[in-house]
Amino acid sequence: MSEQTFCTRETAWCPGCGNFSILDSLKTALTELELQPHQVLMVAGIGQAAKTPQYISANAFCGLHGRSLPPAAAAKIANEALTVVIDTGDGDSYGEGGNHFLHNIRRNVDITHFVHDNQIYGLTKGQASPTSATGHVTGVQADGNFNQAMNPVLVALAAGATFVARAFTGDRKQLVEIMKAAISHKGYALVDILQPCVSFNKINTFSWYKERVRPVEGQHDRQDLMAAMQLAMQFDDVIPTGILYQKEQPTYHDRHPVLHDRGPLIDRPLQREALQAAFDQLI
Amino acid sequence: MIYTLLIGGAAGQGIDTTSALLEWQLKKAGYAVLTSRDFMSRIRGGHNFILLRFGDEVIESADMALDGLIVLNEESLRLHRDSLKPDGFILCDTDIESDDPRTIQLPMADMAKELGNPRVAGSIANGVILKLFGLDLDYSEVVLRQQVKDQYIEINQTAMREGYDAVEQRYDRLNADFAGHMLVSGNQAVALGALAAGLRFYSAYPMSPSTGIMEYLAGQSKNCDLVVEQAEDEIAAINMALGASFAGVPAMTGTSGGGFALMVEALGLAGIAELPIVIADVQRPGPATGLPTRTEQSDLKFVISAAQGEFPRMVIALRDQADAYEQTIRAFKIAERYQIPVILLSDQYLGDGTKSVPPFVIPDDEPVKTTEVETPYLRYRLTEDGVSPRLHPGQTGHLVTSDSDEHDEQGMITESADMRNLMMEKRMGKLDHLRTELLEPEFTGDDACDVLLLAWGSTAGPVRRAVSELNQADGSRYGALLFGDVFPLPVQELMKRAPRAKTVINVEQNYTGQLAGLVRESCGIACDRSVLKYDGRQITAAELIQKLSEEA
């Protein structure tokens, strides 16, 4: 008995939160890709965005804060038949999970990473996140954030990611298309989704983003890394959105002799003869 | 009869290869073998040694009364000559100054140079040792084939022959029957146990002295169909293993205490999300970086209580290489059956040390996957024994949800007080069932003992040997309980034997007597005395006997 369509459940998000748009777009993207709920594994860490897997009918692994990437990559390694999608926040992905962010780009496991980037910590009620602008005043950063904002898409490009996109919750049509392309991409795909936080970020509001975002579709060669980096660096009066970079490159599975073309790891039986041979070598 | 050799030198001088060649030739010749490795945390220089014991009986303990001292530098000679038995020998190069009449000096470096490769000096020494102990060179080729690249086999064989011809036999060839045994390190035994249990995913960050597990598994990866992933840190290592476990493959990670400290939060995730995982902690002296390449048993209290909150776990201490294999298989079974984390406590002495043990046997039974469940499928269905049917995502049409938040039967976040109680009771209740299959500690010694020793993990061998020697002398009668399962602590044997003994003494490689504390907490039995050692070196049977007699 399996559910045929993706359903959403009652949420605990603030009215007007950008997460609603992401959840809805995700449901549309998965449906349009003709996936079934049991084929999809949603993974998250902790945070408001990280509740997304709880609100859509699919398999879900809601782990620890900052630790969405390691279990997501390993689940895909264990069972390549799963479509593995991470939905989690900027703090989870770039702050607590920053190390995993860098190294999973290097792994290039075929998983998709949607980062709900509202440039603020929501669950803990409004502290600076790694993407908060310098000078952003919060309860903790009372004199304004001293630190520079991280540019996640630029970092991802520099680290060698094979799919890097920037999206905005206010452009649902573009978001759905980017999501579909990211999920279909063979390899690690990062989509940094700009979203307002209606409760705790009074600076980067819906209209703040709306005034700045500029879709790049049709005007940008997404195989051009240098052009992608230039677009990634723009985050001021103009914020380019769209698929900034995409490149086909061997995935973790392609490079791994145990995984490549040999079917899901989960289906492999105990290799008795090989093990006995290992024993015999020690006699 | 057991002979004891010490091979000492600076890091980088090749004592590891020299020892490996020798221990394998001795094993192939039928001897029982036991080695322990005493290394400094450096790649070049310093002083390292390998203690190699061999003989015609089972060898339980390291021992520092040396029959032979093979030294590659003067420091090794200076540090160890006092441990040499009066009739022992020293083997060294003519370069090394020695006024000891027991010295056999050969120009091994020059001989090696003349053969065309200075690195084969160790094989010359190897040939000398084989001759002294009445062995032949029959196994040199097969062992060289295992240990060195093909192009170096011939020159090493020639070197062995030169050493062999340079001396006369000195010791009797013993008639030993251990040729059919396996020669394995503790780390290899853990790796092999994991493979036999169906391991498919191992992720770890390199950390002495646990790296040997990862290295061995990586070597078997292609043949045995498993993925070995070197993670970016220990946090990733355990979270990856948990993701793989959730997806449905037997998964494991391994580390030492410092890495385990980083894994602690995810240990709790395994607890609340009810994910099976096996974690090997190959202990070394702490805290922090401590003594990175040495041995200790000081993580017991840490691993039994690591992580916030309360959840069921099991901790098994490994007693020797054979036990390491069996208990690793059992750890996977228990982790799967109860959906809990199982921690294996090994240490540097056991992990790096090799021992000849009866050949391992692959168990017949393979893990059976659940596919049929009641509908609607509830991942955390409340059941009588607390264990819910575990499906894997994508393997059936059912959806599987795991959460690090407190959750309801479906895996959805809940803050209900009633559900919290039910879930706590479900998870903790699994321990009641687990307790029924705990393994009592092994008892060794005199049933009517006056002195009862308590020990755990890798000190089992030295304690067993000490008890046997003590009971051969007049005076007090000794017995010992050697714990493998340490958490939950099995107490039946303790409750039976401790009240009958006049003195109960805990023997541990730590400062605070961690097992004694756990015993007192678990069943109210207080130890009368302790033998504690925390200098990073494994206690030997001889040392234990001495300490017991000093304090008596």
Side-chain angles (χ1 to χ4, degrees), chain A residues 54 59 63 107 252 262 269, chain B residues 200 225 229 232 400 403-404:
Chain A
Q54 289 264 324
N59 296 293
R107 279 193 183 99
Y252 184 94
R262 298 197 34 208
Chain B
R200 286 286 165 274
D225 262 353
E229 180 63 12
E232 55 269 29
V400 187
D403 206 300
S404 70

Side-chain angles (χ1 to χ4, degrees), chain A residues 218-231:
Chain A
Q219 309 150 46
H220 167 62
D221 174 7
R222 65 173 73 153
Q223 292 182 352
D224 185 340
L225 180 61
M226 296 314 287
M229 285 187 147
Q230 280 175 344
L231 291 172

Side-chain angles (χ1 to χ4, degrees), chain A residues 2 9 38 54 59-60 62-63 67 74 79 99-100 107 252 258 262 266 268-272 274 282-283, chain B residues 24 27-28 182-183 195 200 223 225 229 232-233 235 240 247 363-364 394 397 400 402-404 411-413:
Chain A
S2 69
R9 305 192 180 105
H38 76 274
Q54 289 264 324
N59 296 293
C62 304
R67 319 298 168 204
N79 184 1
N99 199 30
H100 312 310
R107 279 193 183 99
Y252 184 94
V258 175
R262 298 197 34 208
I266 189 172
R268 315 276 178 87
L270 184 65
Q271 298 296 336
R272 287 178 174 273
L282 295 168
I283 293 177
Chain B
W24 270 102
K27 210 283 310 181
K28 297 256 183 205
M182 288 171 89
L183 182 61
L195 289 172
R200 286 286 165 274
N223 296 337
D225 262 353
E229 180 63 12
E232 55 269 29
D233 53 36
I235 299 174
M240 288 190 91
D364 289 329
V400 187
S402 278
D403 206 300
S404 70
M412 294 293 133
I413 296 178

Side-chain angles (χ1 to χ4, degrees), chain A residues 1-3 9 37-41 45-46 51 53-65 67 69-79 82 96 99-101 103-104 106-107 252 256-259 262 265-276 278-283, chain B residues 24 27-28 146 179-184 188 192 195-196 198 200-201 216 220-227 229-233 235-236 239-240 243-244 246-249 265-266 269 275 325 359-360 362-364 366 369 393-405 410-413:
Chain A
M1 202 195 68
S2 69
E3 295 181 55
R9 305 192 180 105
H38 76 274
Q39 299 170 316
V40 176
L41 170 60
I46 294 296
K51 288 179 181 165
Q54 289 264 324
Y55 300 149
I56 186 164
S57 61
N59 296 293
F61 184 90
C62 304
L64 298 171
H65 186 44
R67 319 298 168 204
L69 277 162
K76 182 73 181 181
I77 291 168
N79 184 1
L82 292 168
E96 189 96 19
N99 199 30
H100 312 310
F101 176 52
H103 294 284
N104 278 285
R106 294 172 49 228
R107 279 193 183 99
Y252 184 94
H256 204 298
V258 175
L259 299 173
R262 298 197 34 208
L265 196 58
I266 189 172
D267 297 337
R268 315 276 178 87
L270 184 65
Q271 298 296 336
R272 287 178 174 273
E273 278 176 26
L275 184 57
Q276 188 60 52
F279 289 1
D280 294 344
Q281 270 183 357
L282 295 168
I283 293 177
Chain B
W24 270 102
K27 210 283 310 181
K28 297 256 183 205
Q146 270 179 18
H181 275 37
M182 288 171 89
L183 182 61
V184 288
Q188 284 174 333
L192 289 166
L195 289 172
R200 286 286 165 274
F201 186 84
Y216 186 79
Q220 297 300 331
S221 166
K222 275 183 257 179
N223 296 337
C224 292
D225 262 353
L226 85 150
V227 170
E229 180 63 12
Q230 183 177 318
E232 55 269 29
D233 53 36
I235 299 174
N239 279 284
M240 288 190 91
F246 173 74
V249 301
E265 190 187 18
L269 172 61
L275 294 168
Y325 174 75
F360 296 158
I362 305 171
D364 289 329
E366 283 184 42
K369 290 203 175 95
Q395 296 285 291
T396 66
H398 299 288
L399 300 182
V400 187
T401 298
S402 278
D403 206 300
S404 70
D405 280 89
Q410 203 190 337
M412 294 293 133
I413 296 178

